[in-house]
Amino acid sequence: MGFLLSKLTSFATVLVFWFCCFSCFTSTDAYDPLDPNGNITIRWDIKSWNPDGYLAMVTTYNYQQYRHIQAPGWSLGWAWKNKEVIWDMVGGQATEQGDCSRFKTFPPHCCKKKPTIVDLLPGTPYNKQVSNCCKGGVLSSWMQDPVNAAASFQLSVGQAGTTNKKVKPPENFTLMAPGPGYTCGALKVVKPTKYFSPDKRRVTQAMMTWKLTCTYSQFLAQKTPACCVSLPKSPYLASVVSAADKNSPLVRCTHHMCPIRVHWHIKLNYREYWRLKVTITNFDYRRNYSDWNLVMQHPNFDNLTQVFSFNSKSLTPYGTLNDTAMLWGIKFYNDMLMQSGPVGNVQSELLFHKNPATFTFEKGWAFPRRISFNGDTCVMPPPDAYPYLPNAGSCQYISLLTLIMVCALTFAFAYAYA
């Protein structure tokens, strides 16, 4: 009996251990230490009741500091609790209508149990638009362009509840942006949203408001990293591309096979300043990157003096510690990173002021701690691949035998011509 109890105890301990491990991995998988509060928030406002349902405004906010959604844009899906249908939509559309054969006169916009909604394209007729719609699904990051970091669409829902107590929220939300990577929670009831009139003199509010958040995980988005970092005279670059499907990068053949390479080059060393050159190269033949951004972590960013051809802004995820900066292109100049080719790169130089108490070229201090491109962490070279810079000028050493021979020849030459 004691032996059996011991076995059961050991088995239970192992189960608890594995449960804790997997729980930890799940909870920290989507956590970004440089943007700890970053998420995508979806707000579902019921604005009015219809005879068989309601009219709702759905708004998506990208509260991520540096992760944006680029073309072909976002798509939002969910599952209805009952037999709801979408009678009509403005500012967005369902990708499929589904089976609406049970409706004999005017078929709904969508009858699917699990609809998928996408944004409309720019140039949509005005009678099909709402505020913050029709951007082709593109959402800017909150720091780059907060005005364009939201998207909205309006839908008329039928065969649903017509009061706050009878209506049921949809469930099992999915967000593709445009690929996988986001995990969404459940809709929760929050305080009704308030709306201000154009003259700001009257306030109205929604009948009911639900809200949910979606968080990003790079591990779920892709099994291989999206970029890698190279250093001057460093032979190491990780080989990161292994997929071969139609959505994977078509990468130019190189020794590293990396879609995006970020090169960190220490260019000049002055008495009170040092100068850095950063080059981003696109090796992907299939993809352009619009509104790209780069996040770099280095202790000398608290003394960043000038950035020459990029926009820049400090990130302070740890309160007063200022060691992280976000860089992005200048509108209509270098905000588009073109596909692999002669113009498939952007570059800039950064000027730092030296702090005598911390500045050094020893032990790789002058190289980055972390770099991410478009919100995805880049592969860094291992510590032993970091180049070491000289602390002083080079010095040539002369052997003792050479010195003796030179002296002897000098005396012989002087004696011969004396």
Side-chain angles (χ1 to χ4, degrees):
M1 185 66 179
F3 176 76
L4 180 60
L5 182 61
S6 176
K7 287 290 186 182
L8 288 174
T9 303
S10 301
F11 181 70
T13 303
V14 171
L15 282 179
V16 170
F17 172 76
W18 281 106
F19 176 77
C20 291
C21 288
F22 283 113
S23 298
C24 292
F25 291 139
T26 303
S27 62
T28 60
D29 188 46
Y31 178 76
D32 186 348
L34 297 183
D35 189 14
N37 299 315
N39 66 73
I40 288 183
T41 297
I42 299 172
R43 193 183 70 201
W44 190 295
D45 292 324
I46 299 178
K47 300 186 71 175
S48 62
W49 302 107
N50 294 334
D52 72 333
Y54 58 87
L55 181 70
M57 180 71 75
V58 180
T59 306
T60 301
Y61 298 94
N62 184 12
Y63 289 126
Q64 298 174 112
Q65 295 290 321
Y66 47 80
R67 184 173 291 108
H68 65 278
I69 299 175
Q70 61 181 14
W74 56 264
S75 60
L76 182 65
W78 62 79
W80 295 114
K81 280 282 186 71
N82 298 314
K83 296 182 179 180
E84 293 91 338
V85 297
I86 301 175
W87 282 112
D88 190 25
M89 288 195 66
V90 181
Q93 63 182 3
T95 56
E96 296 182 53
Q97 184 183 31
D99 182 9
C100 296
S101 59
R102 69 182 186 272
F103 297 92
K104 304 303 180 184
T105 53
F106 300 103
H109 177 80
C110 179
C111 301
K112 289 183 68 68
K113 177 74 172 177
K114 297 180 178 180
T116 299
I117 310 301
V118 295
D119 195 10
L120 298 180
L121 298 176
T124 298
Y126 288 111
N127 62 341
K128 291 292 184 181
Q129 293 188 25
V130 295
S131 178
N132 289 324
C133 85
C134 311
K135 306 170 187 175
V138 175
L139 280 182
S140 298
S141 64
W142 192 255
M143 179 171 285
Q144 278 181 268
D145 189 1
V147 174
N148 291 309
S152 299
F153 59 85
Q154 182 177 281
L155 71 166
S156 178
V157 182
Q159 297 188 356
T162 57
T163 65
N164 286 18
K165 292 183 178 180
K166 292 183 179 180
V167 69
K168 300 294 182 183
E171 58 188 2
N172 299 331
F173 275 78
T174 59
L175 177 64
M176 306 293 284
Y182 285 93
T183 302
C184 299
L187 282 176
K188 296 181 179 179
V189 178
V190 296
K191 291 183 179 180
T193 303
K194 294 184 177 181
Y195 299 94
F196 290 88
S197 62
D199 60 3
K200 308 295 183 183
R201 300 176 65 186
R202 175 175 165 78
V203 179
T204 59
Q205 70 178 41
M207 301 294 177
M208 190 175 190
T209 297
W210 297 316
K211 187 179 287 188
L212 65 84
T213 57
C214 303
T215 54
Y216 179 82
S217 166
Q218 186 175 347
F219 177 77
L220 295 177
Q222 51 198 4
K223 302 303 180 184
T224 55
C227 58
C228 53
V229 177
S230 66
L231 305 175
K233 298 182 180 180
S234 174
Y236 177 86
L237 271 177
S239 179
V240 299
V241 178
S242 59
D245 59 80
K246 64 179 181 179
N247 295 320
S248 64
L250 181 61
V251 181
R252 188 201 313 173
C253 187
T254 59
H255 70 282
H256 55 78
M257 294 304 293
C258 205
I260 295 292
R261 185 188 68 185
V262 180
H263 187 66
W264 177 289
H265 178 69
I266 300 172
K267 189 174 181 179
L268 292 171
N269 181 25
Y270 305 106
R271 182 183 298 274
E272 296 184 359
Y273 299 89
W274 62 291
R275 195 177 181 112
L276 166 71
K277 183 177 181 180
V278 175
T279 304
I280 309 171
T281 305
N282 185 7
F283 290 96
D284 191 347
Y285 287 111
R286 287 177 175 162
R287 190 173 183 184
N288 297 329
Y289 292 88
S290 59
D291 293 326
W292 59 267
N293 65 66
L294 194 70
V295 174
M296 301 190 295
Q297 190 174 26
H298 188 276
N300 213 163
F301 271 114
D302 59 349
N303 282 320
L304 177 62
T305 303
Q306 186 175 0
V307 179
F308 289 91
S309 57
F310 290 166
N311 292 309
S312 67
K313 191 171 183 179
S314 296
L315 290 174
T316 53
Y318 313 115
T320 58
L321 181 61
N322 181 16
D323 66 348
T324 308
M326 175 178 168
L327 310 176
W328 66 95
I330 298 172
K331 199 71 174 177
F332 305 119
Y333 175 59
N334 57 4
D335 61 327
M336 173 72 78
L337 177 57
M338 301 299 291
Q339 62 193 28
S340 181
V343 294
N345 68 85
V346 291
Q347 55 189 351
S348 179
E349 295 186 7
L350 291 76
L351 186 67
F352 295 93
H353 187 269
K354 292 181 180 178
N355 182 354
T358 58
F359 179 83
T360 178
F361 277 141
E362 294 181 354
K363 300 178 181 179
W365 182 91
F367 297 110
R369 307 301 185 262
R370 173 176 172 172
I371 290 180
S372 66
F373 177 79
N374 279 356
D376 290 327
T377 303
C378 300
V379 176
M380 299 291 294
D384 58 352
Y386 277 49
Y388 287 89
L389 300 180
N391 292 325
S394 59
C395 181
Q396 294 184 350
Y397 295 94
I398 302 176
S399 66
L400 180 62
L401 179 61
T402 302
L403 184 62
I404 293 174
M405 292 181 65
V406 169
C407 291
L409 289 173
T410 301
F411 282 117
F413 183 82
Y415 179 76
Y417 288 94

